[in-house]
Amino acid sequence: MVWKVIMISKPGDFFVGRQSELDELNRCALQAQQGRPWLVWIRGESGAGKTTLLRHWLRHGEAQVFRVLTARCASSEQESPYGLVEQLLRKVPPSLLQGSFLEHGTVPENAAPFRVGAQLLEVLGLLQSQTPVAMVADDIQWADRNSKEALGFVLRRLEADTVITILSLRGTNDERIENSRDPLIEDGVDRICRLSLSGFSLEEVSHLAEQSLDQVDPHTVANLVNLTRGNPLYVQMLIRELERTSAAPRPENTKFSPSLASVISHQLANVPQASRRLAEALAVLNGRIPLLKAAAVAGVSEPSIAIGPLLAEGLAEWLRADPAAPVAIRHELQKSAIYARLSPVRRKELHVKAAEVLPRDASWEHRVAAADSVSGVLSQELEEAANEQLRLGNVNRAATLWLWASDVASSSTEHERLLQLAAAHLLWIDEFSRVKPLLADIQACAPSPMRDLILGAYAESRGRLNEAAPLLTNALDSEARSTAPDRAGVVGMAASWLGLLELLRGDGPAAVKAFERVPSINDANSTITYRAKSHLAFAHAFIHGPRAGLNSLNEFLESGDDAHHFLSFPLMFRGLLHSFAGELNAGIRDVSEALDMSRLSGRPAMDEFGFVCVSSAQFLLGRWDESSVSAKNALIISSKREKPWAAAMGHAALSLTFSGRGDFVQAREHLDIAQAELSNFAPSWAVPFTHLGNAVLAHAQSDTGQLLSILEPLTRPPLSGPASHFQVWWRALYAEALIENGRSPEAETELKYLQELARTAPSLRLPAAWLHGRFLESCGDKHGAMKVYQSNVAQARDPDDPLVYMSLIQRSLGGCLKSIGRVSEGDVWIERGEGALSTLGARPYIASASRMQESDLLAGLTPRERDIAHLVGRGMTNREVGAELFVSAKTVEYHLGRIFTKLDITNRRQLRDLIFDPPRAFRS
């Protein structure tokens, strides 16, 4: 490592040891420049020199060719959402952030981590077009959770990027290096390097001492090592003590100060009083702050003079290049030691002064720290400030203020009310990790509707629906009878959580009853209203079908409301209901618009569910490559720990294309994962997705017996809830299974039901027609079947017609024609049908050997290359493809080069022709 010391007698920079660590950093950096991104962990105990190593490498190593984005985390910022990300963005040219929700260099508090990560990926892609990028974050253990989730999302998406990420993490030398990780960041990252900084050796301590002392006695060095275990910070401070006390050689039995705290006390005793007061103020302020404000807290009249001795002693650092001249105690150990030596009276004095000097929002923690006793006045002011933050949409900050208010509340009743208020709102924005540490205190609170709401909502979020139901019901019933002024908020949340629980169970009538009890159900400008209205439409669809839900939502959306910041929720649900009603293109349009709103604002709106439904609709329309991309996006943004049902649906959706193309092993793997996810948490409305996936696999394998056994349970009365909701997607497969298994009476009844559904479900028109013909053929009426097929191929194609069924009708028509002797005409129709199937790569449905070969045009591409090839073929730019796939433009560029090589083409137009017109590509 490199250790930088600012000496009193011999100023200058010098470095000791750590050469192997520097070599590893340079090795990873060189590979990153070649498109092999690395994550480097640097771990060591406090004072081991992690920051110094990073600074030296940035100034002298391979970092010189990188654009460096830096951040330094602090313990005081752990509850500031996206503080780490915002620090990284400060080094990004503002022009690269324009048009995104990051354009002001700040991140909306309620932005979803995956959306923030996606924007950061796009920024990294733009930066890499100019130079390699290094992201460096010090003391990552204090980073806020949202930033770590966003950073982990980015690192898992880096593939061929010229990016190196270096993170320092505090830990003792006793901890094994394998533990130097943070799962939120590291899980799923391919290339990881771990560096562990241990204490200095005798030789290194001797070298360090020689830079400051005129003579160095070997016994003195040995004592330094024994006392400090070679900790660089401690060694350096003791050497300063030796330098200060005497320039003469030390005797063999030299005794040093027994603790770092005493060394710091000696340092402070040897600086002027103004410097000492400034150091104390900086310890209380706990972070970087403009020098003038720190001086105002300390009561120092000449801060530029007072800071000098602290800099010389290595106790403080000062960013002179910054116009605000921020200063801070150099190291967390030093800050803790200085703060610990303050008397209670002095601490309070400084906290009071800090509260007066700092802006109002930054002053609250100092006012709380300065409180000698509980204070109803302070608690009330904190609650008012929390309510103000809530109105601004800063729920996390509001919760922090409520928690502080509960700490200084003047009664146990007030303490419990404020504690529960914070927890309830954190649950509402899915901040389950912040609620978990509060649960023990909440369980100890007196019984109340709010307590039941929190415990019930948390249990529901963990999948414990039977435990959650009575708690939420009691919260709703009890609070509904209350006359408390804030009852509406509790009732609204309880009714919404209970309604969602009933939706998860598949009980539409119970869900309707719950959502209709939301007090603000007619208040347009409320996030509770927009969610409740959207879920209420879903519940109506469970009872009366998707069309009823659509009517309910359309009435709400056309009522003249202008709360656009809430619009993504009902728009998302309207898209879902359109697709369930067989209006596939309308569904894709609405869901895509809602996803675009989410992308632009950073606020999620059931995005993972939206991608699943879009994927399924795209599959039915024959847009299989797009379907695969959408399903993968659903899996990317769904967290198995928080939303296992979403992961199950994503895997089921991804299985569809694998089945359709004959990759039965991959399809089975994804369906098995989906089933495993549902085994612990199985909302009934996610089950039809897995049934659909298994049914499509059985259909592709021509296993009509298995197809029937999979779908028949969905038809058993009463046909309601999710089975009815999604029946447009599976009903045709069920009718086909009845026909192919020779159950003609049931098939005839089912076919009539299917034809009735097709009157209002456009996507069922062709399936119903083809199955009508198949039924007539099974009854021996080939001429009747041929008339059905001819009638449908003569009609103009509807945008919602499934491509596969059009191909099946054409091929069936050809078979009928050949059976009556019109062979050449029949071959033409068979060729047309199989030509469309070959463009999909639908190998299980292709009979012709030549067409089978054509369906393998893209078989040599990896799944990532195939996704990119398809999107580029649609005319998207590298940047647009990256945004769609949650990768950087650099990764797209890399894979595009490999695609061109594998397909022996040279430009994007040839790629488009190959993908969308394979016969034309063969002719050329």
Side-chain angles (χ1 to χ4, degrees), residues 308-334:
L310 298 180
L311 297 173
E313 290 287 342
L315 288 171
E317 54 186 4
W318 183 14
L319 299 181
R320 295 177 178 83
D322 190 312
V327 292
I329 297 298
R330 183 181 174 203
H331 199 279
E332 187 73 19
L333 277 179
Q334 296 167 322

Side-chain angles (χ1 to χ4, degrees), residues 287-300:
R288 296 182 182 276
I289 189 168
L291 179 58
L292 291 178
K293 287 194 174 182
V297 173
V300 172

